[in-house]
Amino acid sequence: MKDTGLHGVDAETRMVFRADCPSRPILDQIADKWSMMVMALLERPTRFNELKRSLEGITQRVLTQTLRRLERNGMIHRTVLPTSPVGVEYSLTPLGESLREPFGHLYDWTVEHSEEIQSSQRAYDARVDA
Amino acid sequence: MKDTGLHGVDAETRMVFRADCPSRPILDQIADKWSMMVMALLERPTRFNELKRSLEGITQRVLTQTLRRLERNGMIHRTVLPTSPVGVEYSLTPLGESLREPFGHLYDWTVEHSEEIQSSQRAYDARVDA
DNA sequence: CGGTATCCTGGGCGATACTG
DNA sequence: CAGTATCGCCCAGGATACCG
């Protein structure tokens, strides 16, 4: 079923991203930048406000939503610390840990190719503006 | 700078996703489900309407936007075929080709773990509804 | 065939205030 | 500290029509 590492193509019919493809709903849930960044930061257990400080530009509301979704999908675990005032610590589950590898490859790719992409954007914009 | 395959953490200060982190704008551009699916389908050069048929649920408008963005970022190339009526073929650039590998790992991961995720969702929902 | 152009609506998100 | 609650805006995206 794999051939080049992506979805397969069988002999006659192309494998397509039909509504019932199992990857569809999952990509819906995890393929967004904040989720990826949160997962990246959770190398170690981390408190809510530390995450917020690390994710410049995110609002409390969106961070909460992102964390809840990741928790629902089994990627992270939420631990309430018996401190006063209450503290909450987020950590990766084994499932979430296993996702860090593919995410890591993608992150590394973005860093490696950021110059090339920016230069492509400039070239495209120059073409369009003209 | 790499340690576990994601962004590094140095001795004292945590590396964070500040606004000037080069990965931020790139994740904004490519970390969305339609972009990932289009890249997956472009194993071979493909016509606009064939892409549209393969991406059940996408609208023409959104597919066009997705393709333009990928083109601007240097991932795909747009070729107008000298046919009548006009045909347009989309194909991967070398840069886009290089992105298929990390995307492929992620796609494979979603397929491998779809059951586990769904079961986690059910457990979470049961917990919340109660 | 492969797109624009235009209109319109829902809900995603920011801002703010409040709480255990 | 780590959230919920509420309001209001804006614009991403659907629907439809038209075009080279």
Side-chain angles (χ1 to χ4, degrees):
Chain A
M1 186 54 98
K2 296 190 202 176
D3 55 313
T4 58
L6 276 181
H7 66 91
V9 172
D10 80 25
E12 308 93 42
T13 60
R14 176 167 219 165
M15 171 146 176
V16 293
F17 285 105
R18 299 204 176 284
D20 62 347
C21 175
S23 73
R24 286 278 296 262
I26 302 184
L27 289 178
D28 279 342
Q29 296 281 312
I30 68 174
D32 75 278
K33 68 171 180 177
W34 293 126
S35 291
M36 291 195 47
M37 293 181 191
V38 167
M39 295 294 291
L41 289 170
L42 286 184
E43 188 169 19
R44 46 168 172 169
T46 308
R47 301 274 292 256
F48 182 88
N49 275 327
E50 188 178 355
L51 287 174
K52 186 170 185 316
R53 277 191 300 275
S54 299
L55 297 169
E56 205 177 287
I58 200 170
T59 62
Q60 193 170 39
R61 177 185 161 87
V62 169
L63 178 55
T64 300
Q65 289 170 345
T66 302
L67 291 169
R68 289 292 179 278
R69 182 158 22 88
L70 289 173
E71 188 189 1
R72 186 173 106 97
N73 290 324
M75 306 296 163
I76 65 177
H77 187 241
R78 178 176 180 274
T79 312
V80 179
L81 305 173
T83 57
S84 173
V86 288
V88 176
E89 201 169 71
Y90 291 92
S91 54
L92 292 177
T93 60
L95 179 62
E97 194 67 53
S98 76
L99 180 55
R100 289 188 88 243
E101 192 190 341
F103 270 4
H105 289 316
L106 188 52
Y107 177 85
D108 292 343
W109 186 93
T110 64
V111 174
E112 275 168 39
H113 296 86
S114 63
E115 306 292 337
E116 196 172 350
I117 292 171
Q118 288 172 35
S119 122
S120 171
Q121 291 173 348
R122 282 191 297 271
Y124 182 97
D125 293 344
R127 228 175 298 140
V128 171
D129 293 344
Chain B
M1 186 52 94
K2 295 190 203 179
D3 55 314
T4 58
L6 276 180
H7 66 91
V9 172
D10 80 24
E12 308 94 42
T13 60
R14 176 166 220 167
M15 172 147 174
V16 293
F17 286 105
R18 299 205 176 284
D20 62 347
C21 175
S23 73
R24 287 278 297 260
I26 302 186
L27 289 178
D28 280 343
Q29 296 281 314
I30 69 174
D32 75 280
K33 69 171 178 174
W34 293 126
S35 291
M36 290 195 48
M37 293 181 191
V38 167
M39 295 295 290
L41 289 170
L42 286 184
E43 188 171 18
R44 48 168 170 169
T46 307
R47 300 273 293 255
F48 182 88
N49 276 327
E50 187 179 355
L51 287 174
K52 186 168 186 317
R53 277 190 301 273
S54 299
L55 296 169
E56 205 177 287
I58 200 171
T59 61
Q60 192 170 39
R61 180 185 161 88
V62 170
L63 178 55
T64 300
Q65 288 169 346
T66 302
L67 290 169
R68 289 290 180 279
R69 182 158 25 88
L70 289 173
E71 188 189 0
R72 187 173 105 97
N73 290 325
M75 305 297 163
I76 65 177
H77 186 241
R78 180 177 181 272
T79 313
V80 179
L81 305 173
T83 56
S84 173
V86 287
V88 177
E89 203 169 71
Y90 291 92
S91 55
L92 292 176
T93 61
L95 179 63
E97 194 67 52
S98 76
L99 180 56
R100 289 188 89 243
E101 193 189 343
F103 269 6
H105 288 316
L106 188 51
Y107 176 84
D108 291 343
W109 185 94
T110 65
V111 173
E112 275 168 39
H113 297 87
S114 63
E115 306 293 335
E116 195 172 351
I117 292 171
Q118 288 172 36
S119 122
S120 172
Q121 291 173 350
R122 282 191 299 270
Y124 183 96
D125 293 343
R127 224 177 299 140
V128 171
D129 293 344

